[in-house]
């Protein structure tokens, strides 16, 4: 059996995927918080994935690391950018997709893809928490709800609240003010989804948007954001089953392919 692993060490979560190189079956797929030690989180999530797949580290033929913390994974055979891994992962899951929007913990990125799955244009926001998962986490805390419930709550809104600022600090103050005057948490949650959608639409201005469009990353699990984007862009968002592990899957697939082709094009 030939096995390959992809480890994506993001700013908020570390992900690991193990694939069987023979038939690209996913044997393990895991997510855990990165915390303050990316190297440790990467090693831990890989160890847990090995347990889930009931294999040993020595059974892995190749490990590819990606994500902002990829340099910290000492165990990696190769390192690859998130853009390349995102392209590889999404093309495998949804080959018809031509634009992928990845909204993570502290950044959001957009890539376009050609028919062969090669990345074309890309746009990145890693300067500001607005339009990222961090923004939603701060707001969920202020609303006293779990991040996993924010999307569901937002779908029950009758009139989405209007935020005048997309800045996390100002928007949090605005949110507190809205609660004080009796605005419903549902309407506030929908307003927050709208803020994310607006920020993504701004970023989309930097690429040639081509449908079909996929939404991935941890925030793709937030149905409210997905619906807000669909309304704003007037097109459906395709969300794969496990949107948070798409880049880790792409890294594992890259590992497998380069092993099979006996070549290595990634950065190291
Ligand atoms: P990164 O790769 O940048 O570390 P992720 O892609 O893992 O980040 O995304 C993390 C974000 O995903 C969190 O900030 C949060 O907003 C969102 N998120 C995580 N879990 C859930 C969930 N169960 N439901 C909705 N949103 C979630």
């Amino acid at each position: 059996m030939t096995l390959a692993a992809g480890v994506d060490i993001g700013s908020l979560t570390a992900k690991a995927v193990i694939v069987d190189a023979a038939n690209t079956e996913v044997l393990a797929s895991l997510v855990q918080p990165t915390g303050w030690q990316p190297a440790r989180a990467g090693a831990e999530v890989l160890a847990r994935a090995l347990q889930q797949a009931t294999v040993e580290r020595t059974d892995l033929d190749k490990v590819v690391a990606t994500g902002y913390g990829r340099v910290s994974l000492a165990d990696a055979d190769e390192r690859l950018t998130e853009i390349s891994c995102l392209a590889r992962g999404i093309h495998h899951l949804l080959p018809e997709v031509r634009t992928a929007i990845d909204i993570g913990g502290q950044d959001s990125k957009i890539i376009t893809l050609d028919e062969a799955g090669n990345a074309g244009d890309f746009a990145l926001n890693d300067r500001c928490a607005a339009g990222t998962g961090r923004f939603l986490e701060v707001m969920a805390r202020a609303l006293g709800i779990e991040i996993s419930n924010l999307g569901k709550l937002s779908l029950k809104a009758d009139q989405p609240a209007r935020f005048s600022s997309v800045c996390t600090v100002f928007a949090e103050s605005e949110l507190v003010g809205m609660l004080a005057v009796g605005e419903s948490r549902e309407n506030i949650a929908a307003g927050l989804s709208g803020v994310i959608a607006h920020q993504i639409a701004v970023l989309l201005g930097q690429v040639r948007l081509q449908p079909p469009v996929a939404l991935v990353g941890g925030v793709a699990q937030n149905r409210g954001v997905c619906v807000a984007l669909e309304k704003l862009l007037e097109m459906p968002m395709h969300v794969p089953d496990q949107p948070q592990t798409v880049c880790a899957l792409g890294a594992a697939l890259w590992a497998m392919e380069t092993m099979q082709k006996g070549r290595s094009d990634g950065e190291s």
Side-chain angles (χ1 to χ4, degrees):
M1 188 160 60
T2 313
L3 296 174
V7 181
D8 173 12
I9 308 177
S11 57
L12 285 193
T13 65
K15 287 76 73 174
V17 168
I18 296 177
V19 294
D20 174 344
N23 57 11
T24 50
E25 187 192 347
V26 173
L27 301 179
S29 178
L30 278 167
V31 179
Q32 73 171 57
T34 300
W36 60 279
Q37 288 174 298
R40 186 171 169 176
E44 264 180 23
V45 78
L46 178 58
R48 288 178 54 220
L50 288 166
Q51 268 180 5
Q52 193 180 69
T54 59
V55 294
E56 304 286 328
R57 173 63 184 91
T58 48
D59 296 326
L60 292 180
D61 297 281
K62 188 164 181 179
V63 177
V64 168
T66 187
Y68 102 105
R70 61 185 179 272
V71 288
S72 66
L73 191 72
D75 212 9
D77 298 305
E78 190 179 332
R79 296 175 179 84
L80 197 63
T81 66
E82 290 124 288
I83 300 293
S84 301
C85 293
L86 173 60
R88 190 64 202 83
I90 201 66
H91 185 70
H92 176 79
L93 295 169
L94 301 168
E96 73 284 6
V97 159
R98 294 290 170 268
T99 305
I101 302 171
D102 181 344
I103 315 181
Q106 284 182 22
D107 64 16
S108 37
K109 56 183 90 67
I110 299 168
I111 60 167
T112 59
L113 298 119
D114 66 17
E115 281 173 20
N118 300 307
D121 295 355
F122 86 96
L124 171 71
N125 162 34
D126 62 353
R127 303 269 148 192
C128 174
T132 71
R134 173 65 86 195
F135 173 89
L136 292 172
E137 289 198 18
V138 169
M139 302 307 158
R141 225 175 355 258
L143 286 173
I145 58 165
E146 294 291 322
I147 188 73
S148 53
N149 289 329
L150 193 62
K152 277 173 259 169
L153 199 68
S154 107
L155 295 179
K156 293 185 190 146
D158 50 36
Q159 182 73 52
R162 287 182 70 88
F163 282 84
S164 58
S165 175
V166 297
C167 163
T168 307
V169 177
F170 292 133
E172 188 184 13
S173 305
E174 244 183 305
L175 182 155
V176 171
M178 287 175 189
L179 286 174
V181 295
E183 182 60 279
S184 76
R185 293 198 298 181
E186 288 79 358
N187 286 350
I188 294 173
L192 296 169
S193 299
V195 170
I196 299 287
H198 174 266
Q199 289 301 98
I200 294 298
V202 171
L203 203 56
L204 276 166
Q206 296 177 28
V207 302
R208 278 160 293 183
L209 172 65
Q210 303 161 57
V213 181
L215 181 61
V216 305
V219 176
Q221 298 169 103
N222 183 318
R223 188 73 197 125
V225 170
C226 187
V227 168
L229 268 169
E230 288 182 334
K231 276 193 189 145
L232 192 66
L233 303 178
E234 298 179 339
M235 59 179 73
M237 293 292 122
H238 300 271
V239 181
D241 272 350
Q242 294 187 35
Q244 207 166 6
T245 52
V246 171
C247 282
L249 173 68
L253 294 172
W254 176 269
M256 183 189 74
E257 281 168 15
T258 50
M259 218 171 14
Q260 285 172 342
K261 286 180 193 157
R263 67 176 176 84
S264 173
D265 297 339
E267 65 171 36
S268 49

